[in-house]
């Protein structure tokens, strides 16, 4: 694969409340290594990724102090109370030589199973325009619930996608979009949502559904299983 290399911001400043456990989920072990180390390894081995910027909680005592992974530089910055703040802090902490129009990836520390092929396709397709994100069309029937947990109605599944990471946008416009969403008091749950508010139409690039976000305690075993078999 040819082309310039890109930086990847890796938000890892969350507390992992839903996962429980003694450690924040990004530091829990999977097959003998922390979740975040698996994720950083997956990213660093990709030939199009040139550097990693990890955002950490201000009181993080578990970060292993990595300065490079597979020869790629690893920088850190302090994240914020919301994921979007952590991403913005990471964008602001990128080296100055990363220009405003350069594409930057953002990938959750909690998604260790992302496939190299999918990262490559996102970069190939997204850099033709204004960026995009990995996702997958909804497979299950979608129900809208009422307040009592009963079905109010069935919604169409057509045209509905689940959004994953990595997401990839130009550094300057993404930072501006996240700042503007924050200024408007809109809680954006991913980078694409901030870009949508700013008037962009991010490209959806279909990726493997096993790019799970480790969220609950049960997800660790699933991720361990998937990691062993999703190397491409
Ligand atoms: N994240 C972050 N800063 C925050 C919140 C989340 O950098 N203030 C990161 C998490 O560390 C994770 C990614 O964003 O890698 C996705 O968030 P999520 O899966 O929700 O992780 P947590 O917020 O840690 O988990 P929970 O919501 O269960 O507390
Ligand atoms: Mg969270």
């Amino acid at each position: 694969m040819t082309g310039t290399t890109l930086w990847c911001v890796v938000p890892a400043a969350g507390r992992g409340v839903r996962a429980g456990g003694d450690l924040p989920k990004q530091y829990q072990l999977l097959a003998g290594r922390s979740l975040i180390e698996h994720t950083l390894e997956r990213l660093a081995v990709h030939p199009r990724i040139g550097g990693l910027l990890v955002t950490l909680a201000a009181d993080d005592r578990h970060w292993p102090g990595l300065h490079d992974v597979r020869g790629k530089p690893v920088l850190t910055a302090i994240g914020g109370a919301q994921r979007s703040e952590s991403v913005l802090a990471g964008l602001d902490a990128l080296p100055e030589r990363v220009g405003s129009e350069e594409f930057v990836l953002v990938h959750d520390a909690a998604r260790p199973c992302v496939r190299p092929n999918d990262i490559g396709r996102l970069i190939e397709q997204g850099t033709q325009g204004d960026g995009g994100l990995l996702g997958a069309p909804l497979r299950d029937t979608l129900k809208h619930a009422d307040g009592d947990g009963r079905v109010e109605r069935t919604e169409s599944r057509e045209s509905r996608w689940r959004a994953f990471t990595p997401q990839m946008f130009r550094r300057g416009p993404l930072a501006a979009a996240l700042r503007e969403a924050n200024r408007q008091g809109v809680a954006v749950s991913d980078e694409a949502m901030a870009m949508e508010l700013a008037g962009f139409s991010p490209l959806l690039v279909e990726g493997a559904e096993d790019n799970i976000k480790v969220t609950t305690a049960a997800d660790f075993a699933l991720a361990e299983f998937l990691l062993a078999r999703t190397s491409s």
Side-chain angles (χ1 to χ4, degrees), residues 42 46 113-119 208 210 226-232:
R42 271 285 160 109
H46 200 281
C113 304
V114 61
R115 296 185 187 217
N117 283 345
D118 287 347
I119 297 174
D210 51 19
L226 292 170
L227 271 173
R229 54 184 285 281
T230 57
S231 56
S232 66

Side-chain angles (χ1 to χ4, degrees), residues 113 212 218-227:
C113 304
I212 61 165
D219 290 338
F220 288 94
L222 177 58
E224 199 167 294
F225 170 76
L226 292 170
L227 271 173

Side-chain angles (χ1 to χ4, degrees), residues 11-19 25-26 55 80-83 86 108-110 213-215:
R15 308 215 168 269
V17 173
R18 287 170 289 176
K25 65 182 177 184
Q26 57 272 34
T55 54
Q82 304 299 327
R83 182 183 173 284
S86 298
D108 293 328
K213 187 171 74 164
V214 173
T215 304

Side-chain angles (χ1 to χ4, degrees), residues 7 33 36-45 49-54 63-76:
W7 278 80
R33 290 179 86 189
I36 190 169
E37 283 179 277
H38 285 286
T39 304
L40 296 177
E41 175 79 19
R42 271 285 160 109
L43 295 168
V45 295
I49 293 180
L52 304 166
L53 188 307
V54 184
W63 167 246
L66 303 171
H67 294 291
D68 74 277
V69 175
R70 298 271 179 147
K72 313 263 174 93
V74 177
L75 304 179
T76 58

